[in-house]
Amino acid sequence: MSDTAEGAGTASGAGSAGDSGSTAGTGEIRGTALGDAPVPLSVLDLAVVGAGGTAHDALRTSVAVARLAESRGYQRHWVAEHHSHPGVASSSPAVILAHLAAHTTRIRLGSGGVMLPNHAPLAVAEQFGTLEALAPGRIDLGLGRAPGTDGHTAAALRGGRLDESADEFPRQLAELIRFLDDDFPDGHPYARVHAVPGRVQGGGTGRPPIWLLGSSGFSASLSGRLGLPFAYAHHFSPAGTLPALELYRRSFRPSAVLDAPYAMIATGALAADTAEEARAQALAGALWALRLRTGNLGLVPTPEEAAAYPYSPIERDFVDGRLADVVHGTPDEVRDGLDRLVGATGADELMLTSNAHGGAARLRSYELVADAYAMPTDAPARS
């Protein structure tokens, strides 16, 4: 999950995300907690590629995680957009989501998120209109403003354009909403441009609910003012979680899609059969993050490599901080940590990301968390 933009409202002549034209209702946004979970639980997937593995392996794991999550009653499975990073295979969320839709039947699928400045709003509207046609009523459109990569890659994605101001994201968002709702006013240059699949085709075509994602107060404030659900990236910016959630709730204005705030937070969570195994996997993720911080991009290291790495004192401080921010341990320990996080933040939903080395460890983590909360083993279709 990445940040959205500072600034309020929408472009001149464009509708807001909460306009009555939207068919994305509260029932598609608010989740249902199952078993003993204090709030609905969901999955954030980066399709991480571990040392010794391939992108094919990572994407196969994504399918397995989505199917496990569906059977165990997780609310939604989101895919993040990242670019030019050897350790992730999630550069094209819409493509991955179409594949996941073909392998699931009930779980909500979405982007966590699409980085809107990297794309033309019409292209996003048509991608997610296609997904909605493939999996009606199961698609979420999470949007962020950050590029999901470095500056050079962002320039390549955007055809060399990196001079957009902070006001551009609200304008792009407003344009995207108009395309999704097919309601540009008469006289607008795009009044005769239609996103397809979409509402111009009739037949009760809906559109996915929009979420704003972020790691700062900018996105929190904009989400609140537009009456949208908000997803905060606690997993890489935990210090800002409480201020951002407070700002979101304080800024919230009821809309056609939400009558009260709905805040989800994404957090690192890794359960294993033993505390030692969980720490070893979490340490591998922490070393991966350390290398990212220092510009040394690569695959997720093995637990053995992470254990043998010669950490300097500064590196050890960084890694220890990362480990403290990831809820890891036995299933009971992870359950206790997630319960405390909900209690401290008042989050309406938790989205768990498990950046372990190897698909088996990720699958086992989501399974053990579901077991810890006595979630169903064959969850029914959600209403």
Side-chain angles (χ1 to χ4, degrees):
M1 292 186 179
S2 300
D3 203 8
T4 56
E6 183 178 17
T10 55
S12 176
S16 78
D19 276 356
S20 58
S22 169
T23 60
T26 297
E28 294 178 292
I29 294 170
R30 296 187 180 278
T32 303
L34 299 182
D36 299 328
V39 295
L41 302 182
S42 293
V43 172
L44 176 62
D45 187 1
L46 274 65
V48 294
V49 183
T54 65
H56 177 71
D57 298 329
L59 294 171
R60 285 183 61 189
T61 296
S62 292
V63 171
V65 169
R67 297 185 70 169
L68 171 71
E70 178 172 78
S71 71
R72 298 305 306 268
Y74 285 83
Q75 180 72 23
R76 61 190 97 234
H77 182 127
W78 281 8
V79 179
E81 178 184 341
H82 292 282
H83 298 276
S84 195
H85 193 319
V88 298
S90 58
S91 60
S92 301
V95 176
I96 298 173
L97 292 172
H99 187 60
L100 296 181
H103 287 83
T104 57
T105 59
R106 303 186 303 273
I107 192 169
R108 294 195 68 84
L109 302 169
S111 55
V114 165
M115 301 296 105
L116 186 54
N118 294 342
H119 312 276
L122 176 59
V124 175
E126 294 198 325
Q127 289 168 6
F128 278 77
T130 301
L131 288 168
E132 182 67 24
L134 289 170
R138 290 206 289 138
I139 303 300
D140 297 324
L141 175 50
L143 299 167
R145 177 178 180 263
T149 187
D150 62 275
H152 293 295
T153 306
L157 284 165
R158 303 174 187 180
R161 294 177 294 101
L162 282 178
D163 56 350
E164 295 174 340
S165 71
D167 292 335
E168 282 299 289
F169 181 84
R171 181 196 62 76
Q172 292 168 327
L173 174 62
E175 189 175 297
L176 170 60
I177 292 166
R178 285 296 196 191
F179 279 126
L180 288 170
D181 289 339
D182 197 46
D183 67 350
F184 281 101
D186 292 341
H188 192 282
Y190 298 155
R192 299 181 66 181
V193 178
H194 308 287
V196 292
R199 287 187 170 174
V200 69
Q201 295 160 327
T205 303
R207 65 122 157 126
I210 290 175
W211 294 64
L212 295 192
L213 318 181
S215 58
S216 74
F218 299 153
S219 51
S221 177
L222 184 58
S223 297
R225 290 195 295 271
L226 296 180
L228 292 173
F230 174 54
Y232 183 82
H234 176 82
H235 59 302
F236 66 76
S237 188
T241 302
L242 293 180
L245 294 183
E246 195 279 331
L247 178 59
Y248 168 61
R249 292 165 182 147
R250 188 175 71 244
S251 304
F252 187 84
R253 299 172 184 171
S255 70
V257 299
L258 277 179
D259 57 2
Y262 192 83
M264 175 167 63
I265 61 174
T267 183
L270 210 157
D273 291 289
T274 68
E276 293 75 19
E277 182 183 354
R279 180 177 173 81
Q281 288 286 355
L283 182 60
L287 176 57
W288 187 53
L290 171 65
R291 288 171 169 169
L292 173 62
R293 179 64 63 90
T294 57
N296 182 18
L297 305 184
L299 309 183
V300 180
T302 65
E304 294 76 16
E305 182 182 355
Y309 182 86
Y311 300 93
S312 70
I314 293 176
E315 290 174 332
R316 174 56 65 183
D317 286 345
F318 176 87
V319 165
D320 287 347
R322 293 289 297 195
L323 289 174
D325 293 334
V326 175
V327 182
H328 65 281
T330 65
D332 287 343
E333 289 171 334
V334 171
R335 172 179 170 147
D336 290 345
L338 296 178
D339 286 349
R340 288 194 297 272
L341 184 58
V342 172
T345 63
D348 298 296
E349 187 171 332
L350 291 182
M351 180 162 272
L352 312 182
T353 184
S354 300
N355 293 331
H357 175 274
R362 293 178 59 220
L363 280 163
R364 184 63 174 154
S365 179
Y366 289 116
E367 181 179 32
L368 290 174
V369 170
D371 288 345
Y373 282 115
M375 293 169 68
T377 56
D378 188 13
R382 295 177 182 273
S383 57

